[in-house]
Amino acid sequence: MANSLFAAALLLSPVLGAPAPAPQAPEVTTPASFGPDSQISASVQPSTSGYRVEVLVNGYTSATYHGPYTGTPTTVGAVPGPTTIAASIPAQPLNPTATYYNTEGVPLNPMPAPFTPAGGLGTNGSLPRYMVNSDFDFESIALGLYQEWIELDLFHDGLVRFTDEEFTAAGLGPEARSLIEFMADQETGHSTLLTNMLGERAPKQCVYNYPYTTVREWVDFMQRLTRFGESGVWGFINHLDSREVGQLLAQSIATEARQQQIFRQMSGLTPMNVWFENGWPQSWSWTMLAPYISYCPENTTRLAWQNFPTLHILNNANINRYSPNDTAQDGSETVGRRIADPSVSNITGSCENLNVTGYGCGPAIAHNKSEPLSFPGKKVLFEWEGPGSAVGPNNSYVTSTSAGAPKFVGWSQQLNLTYSPLTVTGNNSGYTYQPEGFVYDNEGIINGTMAVMLTDLDLYVTPFNTSLLNPHIVALGLYQAG
């Protein structure tokens, strides 16, 4: 009977078959060479994109073009609704129905069935409907699908772009490449799932413009991109009207979290260095994703989310340096000027092939850093763009802000959004000092790959209402804290 009910629910929205077991990360080793017999072949189905997919001699597939958009946009700006009710959503007092508190340690209300405590959502036996159920749901899942599409293309692209010799020199043998290909295959399932939950107006795969030129930069870019892909979902998943969609999305994003950890390991970073992952509003992740989309097929569904101006972190730590504090102070050790561009890898003083505990940064299960990428008290240098830049698919979105003059730097990580004062030194330039703060005990708040922003107000927000800060954001950036 249970199987029949589940099958009937899927008829409302054909989602997916039985999930495959989660892959186990291979043991990372550092042999002198990698034999050809370790190569694991795989077959990736061509995507339903608006451009041709090419099968290369090494068996990997990729789109035939990655580069900038060269046309003229025919539509400009985020997609609007029929009308906009207010300029912002004001903070409200505590929900008057949020009064439950259990002092007895036992169920306080009658149970609807044996072993079933009272309460919960979607627990009354009604047939699940795995479809978005509001404009908020549609726009959130559509953003998630834009993310899944770029990951499907991105994970394939480096496998095609770089030679076996370049991968081996970067410490990634055939088995690691096969794991990346499997993660690309996962995105086929994720994009199918989200497409089914959206329906006929689900966005299609687009054409992308990537910033990397080496294997190290490719992997670094992937750990950054999966960071905002994961955090962008944690920020909205519990606000979805459709609990059924949230359930399946959680099972998808749990995989994304594993991908981000693996890409950190392949980048020579600590795989996990926080107690809690951070959730971001949709406009933050869209701001970080949009600059890497060149153009999309005609009539592709557009998004309603905001694109903030870019905050450039001039001395963002170069993850490839054995002494991160030697990173240049002028932004020259980031490969470009887009918000999530990776660290330059071809440098003097690289830790990539350094076999010294505490300083090496080749691919590994884990590394401890004798010199951290950042630390409390570090002077962090900024430049920021003004609003009005054309970004995203077909250059058809425009960066905007409703904030006043910047006064604070917001640091969003773990369960916290912490502020430090901004010292303005010139036209759209300034600095702050990385603050110290703790989640619980001695666990520092600021670590990992995280969002930073300039704001006109040090507004108090918590993980469930972070989007209230959006009207006060001047510019948004991605900080490599650890």
Side-chain angles (χ1 to χ4, degrees):
M1 180 63 176
N3 287 338
S4 298
L5 286 175
F6 187 62
L10 292 184
L11 286 175
L12 296 174
S13 171
V15 181
L16 75 173
Q24 298 297 315
E27 180 180 356
V28 180
T29 59
T30 55
S33 63
F34 293 82
D37 290 341
S38 295
Q39 179 68 48
I40 303 173
S41 63
S43 175
V44 180
Q45 296 298 315
S47 63
T48 55
S49 64
Y51 55 93
R52 186 166 63 89
V53 172
E54 185 176 38
V55 180
L56 280 296
V57 292
N58 61 7
Y60 296 121
T61 61
S62 180
T64 54
Y65 176 75
H66 293 91
Y69 176 70
T70 57
T72 301
T74 57
T75 303
V76 177
V79 61
T83 185
T84 300
I85 298 173
S88 63
I89 298 175
Q92 301 288 344
L94 189 68
N95 186 335
T97 64
T99 58
Y100 179 87
Y101 186 74
N102 192 327
T103 60
E104 304 296 326
V106 297
L108 304 179
N109 299 292
M111 288 186 174
F115 314 109
T116 307
L121 298 174
T123 60
N124 62 358
S126 60
L127 187 67
R129 178 181 182 266
Y130 294 98
M131 289 290 290
V132 292
N133 205 37
S134 65
D135 288 349
F136 182 92
D137 288 9
F138 185 92
E139 293 294 333
S140 300
I141 300 303
L143 170 61
L145 183 53
Y146 269 93
Q147 178 79 25
E148 303 295 359
W149 281 134
I150 194 174
E151 289 170 356
L152 175 60
D153 181 87
L154 172 65
F155 297 175
H156 281 139
D157 180 63
L159 295 173
V160 170
R161 186 178 299 203
F162 302 112
T163 66
D164 292 350
E165 291 75 19
E166 288 174 301
F167 275 108
T168 299
L172 298 174
E175 291 155 308
R177 301 199 293 275
S178 181
L179 176 60
I180 296 172
E181 188 177 21
F182 178 77
M183 290 190 281
D185 292 347
Q186 290 176 321
E187 301 308 324
T188 301
H190 296 175
S191 57
T192 300
L193 170 67
L194 270 61
T195 295
N196 290 342
M197 294 192 297
L198 287 167
E200 62 188 75
R201 288 312 306 267
K204 302 297 189 293
Q205 192 171 27
C206 300
V207 175
Y208 308 100
N209 184 17
Y210 298 132
Y212 46 80
T213 59
T214 69
V215 172
R216 288 280 296 183
E217 291 167 2
W218 175 54
V219 175
D220 183 9
F221 180 62
M222 290 192 291
Q223 71 88 10
R224 296 170 196 251
L225 183 127
T226 50
R227 169 74 281 131
F228 61 74
E230 179 191 349
S231 287
V233 168
W234 294 138
F236 72 71
I237 191 169
N238 285 313
H239 292 287
L240 292 171
D241 288 284
S242 173
R243 308 301 293 179
E244 300 95 323
V245 168
Q247 174 66 48
L248 297 186
L249 184 61
Q251 293 176 236
S252 165
I253 207 62
T255 303
E256 183 112 351
R258 289 165 169 81
Q259 292 173 349
Q260 208 269 338
Q261 176 175 307
I262 290 169
F263 290 137
R264 285 184 60 88
Q265 290 174 310
M266 290 180 175
S267 299
L269 297 168
T270 302
M272 51 183 177
N273 49 12
V274 293
W275 288 6
F276 306 93
E277 296 300 344
N278 195 230
W280 300 356
Q282 297 92 327
S283 291
W284 297 14
S285 54
W286 180 229
T287 296
M288 298 197 184
L289 170 60
Y292 301 98
I293 306 175
S294 294
Y295 61 89
C296 295
E298 188 177 2
N299 295 323
T300 295
T301 295
R302 299 176 62 77
L303 296 181
W305 308 112
Q306 184 175 5
N307 298 89
F308 293 106
T310 298
L311 174 63
H312 301 287
I313 304 163
L314 301 183
N315 58 341
N316 218 356
N318 188 330
I319 70 167
N320 303 301
R321 283 199 172 276
Y322 58 75
S323 180
N325 289 320
D326 291 337
T327 299
Q329 306 290 292
D330 59 0
S332 61
E333 294 199 27
T334 300
V335 301
R337 297 281 290 176
R338 286 180 285 178
I339 191 168
D341 282 356
S343 299
V344 172
S345 64
N346 292 324
I347 57 170
T348 302
S350 172
C351 55
E352 181 180 358
N353 297 308
L354 186 64
N355 189 21
V356 179
T357 300
Y359 292 93
C361 66
I365 293 176
H367 280 295
N368 286 327
K369 288 284 188 181
S370 296
E371 184 178 313
L373 298 186
S374 74
F375 50 89
K378 175 182 176 179
K379 188 176 183 179
V380 184
L381 308 177
F382 301 117
E383 287 181 354
W384 57 94
E385 299 177 4
S389 296
V391 295
N394 307 63
N395 283 337
S396 62
Y397 292 82
V398 180
T399 61
S400 65
T401 175
S402 59
K407 297 179 181 178
F408 301 95
V409 179
W411 308 76
S412 186
Q413 184 58 299
Q414 307 212 55
L415 304 180
N416 303 74
L417 201 145
T418 304
Y419 296 94
S420 61
L422 173 70
T423 299
V424 177
T425 58
N427 185 25
N428 287 21
S429 63
Y431 69 88
T432 192
Y433 292 97
Q434 181 172 317
E436 184 176 46
F438 301 94
V439 186
Y440 299 116
D441 298 329
N442 62 348
E443 168 59 11
I445 294 170
I446 296 173
N447 212 333
T449 309
M450 56 178 289
V452 294
M453 66 225 66
L454 304 185
T455 68
D456 64 358
L457 178 69
D458 54 346
L459 183 70
Y460 177 73
V461 293
T462 59
F464 200 64
N465 68 352
T466 308
S467 60
L468 293 179
L469 186 61
N470 285 355
H472 301 283
I473 293 177
V474 177
L476 182 70
L478 190 66
Y479 187 57
Q480 195 63 58

